[in-house]
Amino acid sequence: SQKIEQNSEALNIQEGKTATLTCNYTNYSPAYLQWYRQDPGRGPVFLLLIRENEKEKRKERLKVTFDTTLKQSLFHITASQPADSATYLCARGDDKIIFGKGTRLHILP
Amino acid sequence: NAGVTQTPKFQVLKTGQSMTLQCAQDMNHEYMSWYRQDPGMGLRLIHYSVGAGITDQGEVPNGYNVSRSTTEDFPLRLLSAAPSQTSVYFCASSYSIGHNGYTFGSGTRLTVV
């Protein structure tokens, strides 16, 4: 079956360091991947979309990579802050969007 | 511009009852989807629509019906509620899912007793 997996359920990172989250996909070659942020009790908020022909995309302190050989996307938050603490979701898509289970990121002051 | 509006925010149903979760968007988005979110399971796609009059099943469609008679509205119907349908339900919409992400509503927390 086509799977999208986020390997870490939770990740603790010291404030100021770079947080790196991983998303892997199997049995499928998505045309694009999306990353979302979700805070407790709220709906997800779209952050970035990267297409299969794009190696890297940036938005302020966020960077996403897409490696079709490794079947993997990495999501980086540089100069992390406690306010970055949230659950981050990876999603694969074509005509429908399927989400991974998410990684809870804790930025420790 | 209200975005994606979901009603109600909270609902308690008895087993066997039916109800409709409402979702409306005012952004002229073609793509709309319904997800449920359960602890440890992440967001799972129930049904989705790529435009008015077009719907398709997602990962967990059993027990749910949808229709898309207008671009703006995408209601989700629970035919005969079961305790396993206790969840938080999110509706989402997008102008173009290959170029933009989804805009999510604030969710409906449903409890079936």
Side-chain angles (χ1 to χ4, degrees), chain A residues 25 30-35 46-58 63-69 72-74, chain B residues 97-100:
Chain A
Y25 57 92
Y32 54 88
L33 293 168
Q34 300 179 351
W35 285 88
F46 171 70
L47 297 174
L48 284 166
L49 179 151
I50 185 166
R51 294 185 183 81
E52 61 179 341
N53 61 349
E54 297 175 318
K55 298 295 184 187
E56 179 181 300
K57 185 165 278 189
R58 293 175 184 262
K63 184 178 83 171
V64 173
T65 62
F66 194 159
D67 189 325
T68 56
T69 301
Q72 182 179 82
S73 175
L74 298 180
Chain B
I97 58 174
H99 295 85
N100 310 102

Side-chain angles (χ1 to χ4, degrees), chain A residues 2 28 30-32 34 92-98, chain B residues 30-33 35 45 47-51 54-58 94 96-98 102:
Chain A
Q2 300 168 354
Y28 184 70
Y32 54 88
Q34 300 179 351
R92 65 163 177 87
D94 283 304
D95 57 341
K96 57 187 177 185
I97 306 297
I98 303 297
Chain B
E30 291 293 332
Y31 295 88
M32 297 187 75
S33 291
Y35 293 88
L45 180 64
H47 286 284
Y48 68 102
S49 170
V50 299
I54 305 169
T55 63
D56 206 345
Q57 296 181 350
S94 175
S96 171
I97 58 174
Y102 267 127

Side-chain angles (χ1 to χ4, degrees), chain B residues 7-8 11 13 17-21 76-79 108 110:
Chain B
T7 55
Q11 183 71 49
L13 285 180
Q17 286 185 318
S18 63
M19 80 160 294
T20 299
L21 306 185
L76 178 72
R77 281 181 287 277
L78 280 69
L79 308 174
T108 294
L110 176 69

Side-chain angles (χ1 to χ4, degrees), chain A residues 2-20:
Chain A
Q2 300 168 354
K3 291 186 177 180
I4 185 158
E5 296 176 329
Q6 295 182 251
N7 295 338
S8 300
E9 279 195 29
L11 189 63
N12 294 327
I13 298 293
Q14 203 67 39
E15 181 178 6
K17 302 292 186 184
T18 296
T20 298

Side-chain angles (χ1 to χ4, degrees), chain B residues 24-92:
Chain B
Q25 52 89 10
D26 60 356
M27 298 173 283
N28 200 31
H29 285 174
E30 291 293 332
Y31 295 88
M32 297 187 75
S33 291
W34 276 102
Y35 293 88
R36 60 177 289 174
Q37 188 169 38
D38 304 289
M41 299 298 293
L43 280 163
R44 291 182 292 170
L45 180 64
I46 304 172
H47 286 284
Y48 68 102
S49 170
V50 299
I54 305 169
T55 63
D56 206 345
Q57 296 181 350
E59 302 169 281
V60 289
N62 292 340
Y64 307 94
N65 274 355
V66 292
S67 60
R68 185 93 182 271
S69 56
T70 67
T71 298
E72 294 77 19
D73 299 299
F74 191 42
L76 178 72
R77 281 181 287 277
L78 280 69
L79 308 174
S80 177
S84 61
Q85 294 179 304
T86 293
S87 188
V88 179
Y89 291 84
F90 288 102
C91 179

